[in-house]
């Protein structure tokens, strides 16, 4: 008898349980976890208790939530948190200047993952959230990281579905290849009305000491022509500030 | 033959591996993980590879680091991150006003865990860091959360060692019981020169909609008598602002 089959190891069950916390659900009952994961009930209840014991889950009114101890282990000495700490003061300055969503993202596979966001109360519509992800192809930080990434990454991103949100969304891989080249030439990505006709996204690359693009700084602005054009230098300066704080210098490259 | 002994389950090994990332080490080689955890080498190498597969660890120059996917699962729908997001604007306002370390902490067992910190470049000496922890008894947020916590928590905290940092550090449990009563009466904790003679800590309770103290907002200031006294109203207003944003209202209690 096989001890485990792929997708049924203890670790993959832990991942499934943690993945169940999604779509605004910060508290789940064990029964909801069973339903959302499709795992066997008895062993899932046992696993939930084990996860509580080690602090990966915390008991909560009416169920369990992801644990503060898990957050601590994931955050302590984390490069993600370190990048975010370096970026935060520059993001605050940018947010002060433009009074709109200011976001920091990294790539994970072909998705972008938002690791920080500062928002103004009256800012434009935004479909993202911190620790949320989107396919790289539908957001300006994904485009800028793809454009400055290697050909392999670009092809993987373009192999995914190309959702059509508005009449301005590019619809063919040829469109995107042309856009990648344009982004490399101009040094930033700008998406006017691609996701929502009223919203424009601008993203700039964030570089580490070796000059590699490791993150993207982005803003969402009203798609009124003049606001995105006026905001460009501010976003550029803030992104360069983060890169410099990470050890990057234009003279080295 | 027993399949596992306590402390040797798959889950506890995962926790041990993640705990190995500490003391400024964001990248570890598998050999360092074996050394730091004391786990068997062969199974640890195998576990490290499994953790890379699910994104709990990421490959890095010269080893592995905690994974961006782990950070995502720990942060998504997390109450910790949600609390921190609610608190951040008030922390920024406070930081703008006092130009010193501004910190948000929660209790985990008898430790305080720092979940956010904003720092000024020329701020006073600070032994803490984000996702770092300290015994509750040695920091003002720990004292304020203990003082507003139940008797059980207070006794658990006082059962731990009471480290003596300076001539101002209280040294007996009787001192601390008197201090807890004083904190409840005055509504905040103030530690002048307890950890470092030049530093004063002030902490205010952060309450949720039910009025429970779920976090503490704290600042570290020069211990010069006048700065802490002048900063008190600002810290109080910022902490009250966070509590109100969490649904608390003084009129309900």
């Amino acid at each position: 008898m096989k001890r485990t089959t792929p997708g049924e190891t203890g670790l993959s069950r832990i991942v499934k349980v943690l993945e169940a916390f999604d779509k605004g659900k910060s508290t789940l009952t064990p029964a909801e976890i069973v339903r959302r994961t499709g795992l066997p009930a008895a062993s899932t209840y046992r696993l939930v208790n084990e996860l509580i014991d080690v602090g990966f889950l915390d008991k909560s009114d009416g169920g369990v939530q992801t644990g503060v101890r898990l957050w601590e282990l994931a955050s302590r000495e984390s490069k993600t948190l370190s990048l975010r700490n370096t970026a935060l003061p520059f993001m605050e300055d940018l947010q002060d200047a433009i009074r709109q969503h200011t976001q920091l993202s990294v790539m994970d596979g072909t998705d972008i993952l938002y690791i920080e966001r500062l928002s103004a109360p009256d800012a434009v519509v935004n479909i993202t959230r911190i620790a949320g992800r989107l396919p790289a192809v539908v957001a300006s930080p994904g485009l800028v990281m793809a454009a400055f990434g290697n050909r392999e990454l670009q092809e993987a991103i373009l192999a995914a579905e190309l959702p059509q949100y508005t009449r301005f969304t590019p619809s063919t891989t040829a469109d995107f290849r042309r856009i990648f080249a344009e982004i490399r030439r101009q040094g930033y990505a700008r998406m006017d009305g691609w996701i929502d006709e009223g919203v424009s996204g601008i993203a700039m690359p964030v570089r580490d000491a070796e000059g590699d693009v490791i993150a993207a700084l982005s803003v969402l602005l009203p798609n009124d022509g003049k606001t995105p054009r006026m905001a460009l230098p501010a976003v550029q300066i803030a992104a360069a500030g983060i890169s410099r704080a990470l050890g990057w210098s234009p003279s080295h490259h």
Side-chain angles (χ1 to χ4, degrees), chain A residues 149-243:
Chain A
N150 58 32
R151 177 59 62 115
E152 209 178 340
L153 175 65
Q154 291 169 11
E155 294 308 316
I157 285 171
L158 295 182
E161 203 195 344
L162 302 177
Q164 197 71 23
Y165 287 97
T166 73
R167 63 202 158 105
F168 301 115
T169 317
S171 55
T172 70
T173 55
D175 288 339
F176 278 98
R177 289 207 183 86
R178 186 182 45 73
I179 287 163
F180 289 155
E182 191 179 302
I183 291 170
R184 278 194 302 276
R185 198 170 54 243
Q186 70 194 11
Y188 60 86
R190 178 169 160 185
M191 292 170 42
D192 293 340
W194 285 21
I195 309 296
D196 180 308
E197 292 202 7
V199 177
S200 190
I202 295 176
M204 297 276 175
V206 169
R207 294 175 187 277
D208 67 7
E210 282 73 46
D212 294 331
V213 175
I214 57 161
L217 178 71
S218 62
V219 293
L220 291 178
L221 303 166
N223 181 23
D224 59 7
K226 95 181 177 309
T227 307
R229 200 169 53 245
M230 286 171 61
L232 261 171
V235 187
Q236 187 171 0
I237 289 164
I242 299 169
S243 299

Side-chain angles (χ1 to χ4, degrees), chain A residues 7-21 28 33 36-37 39-40 43-52 54-57 64-67 70 73:
Chain A
E8 285 190 355
T9 64
L11 186 55
S12 73
R13 288 186 178 198
I14 293 168
V15 172
K16 279 187 181 171
V17 168
L18 295 176
E19 282 176 341
F21 294 85
L28 293 172
I33 292 174
R36 284 176 167 229
T37 58
L39 293 172
S43 63
T44 302
Y45 290 149
R46 202 161 50 232
L47 179 57
V48 165
N49 283 325
E50 287 171 13
L51 291 169
I52 292 170
V54 298
F56 279 21
L57 296 177
V64 291
Q65 57 192 39
T66 53
L70 176 67
L73 290 174

Side-chain angles (χ1 to χ4, degrees), chain A residues 59-73:
Chain A
K59 280 186 197 171
S60 164
D61 275 359
V64 291
Q65 57 192 39
T66 53
V68 67
R69 174 81 178 136
L70 176 67
W71 179 85
E72 177 189 7
L73 290 174

Side-chain angles (χ1 to χ4, degrees), chain A residues 92-103:
Chain A
E92 287 171 12
D93 294 345
L94 180 57
Q95 163 70 2
D96 264 0
I98 64 164
R99 310 307 294 167
Q100 292 284 353
H101 302 292
T102 303
Q103 306 179 125

Side-chain angles (χ1 to χ4, degrees), chain A residues 48-165:
Chain A
V48 165
N49 283 325
E50 287 171 13
L51 291 169
I52 292 170
D53 285 343
V54 298
F56 279 21
L57 296 177
D58 286 339
K59 280 186 197 171
S60 164
D61 275 359
V64 291
Q65 57 192 39
T66 53
V68 67
R69 174 81 178 136
L70 176 67
W71 179 85
E72 177 189 7
L73 290 174
S75 301
R76 207 173 55 179
E77 313 306 343
S78 138
K79 287 270 171 79
T80 309
L81 187 65
S82 159
L83 169 63
R84 173 259 170 210
N85 288 346
T86 301
L88 189 59
F90 299 96
M91 294 181 70
E92 287 171 12
D93 294 345
L94 180 57
Q95 163 70 2
D96 264 0
I98 64 164
R99 310 307 294 167
Q100 292 284 353
H101 302 292
T102 303
Q103 306 179 125
L104 184 71
S105 333
V106 295
M107 289 291 298
D108 189 42
T110 60
D111 288 340
I112 46 163
L113 184 65
Y114 289 89
I115 63 172
E116 184 57 281
R117 184 179 69 197
L118 303 177
S119 298
D122 57 349
V124 294
V125 173
N126 188 345
I127 59 172
T128 66
R129 63 208 164 108
I130 299 174
R133 50 173 71 216
L134 281 179
V137 85
V138 304
S140 59
L143 291 186
V144 84
M145 296 192 72
F148 287 101
N150 58 32
R151 177 59 62 115
E152 209 178 340
L153 175 65
Q154 291 169 11
E155 294 308 316
I157 285 171
L158 295 182
E161 203 195 344
L162 302 177
Q164 197 71 23
Y165 287 97

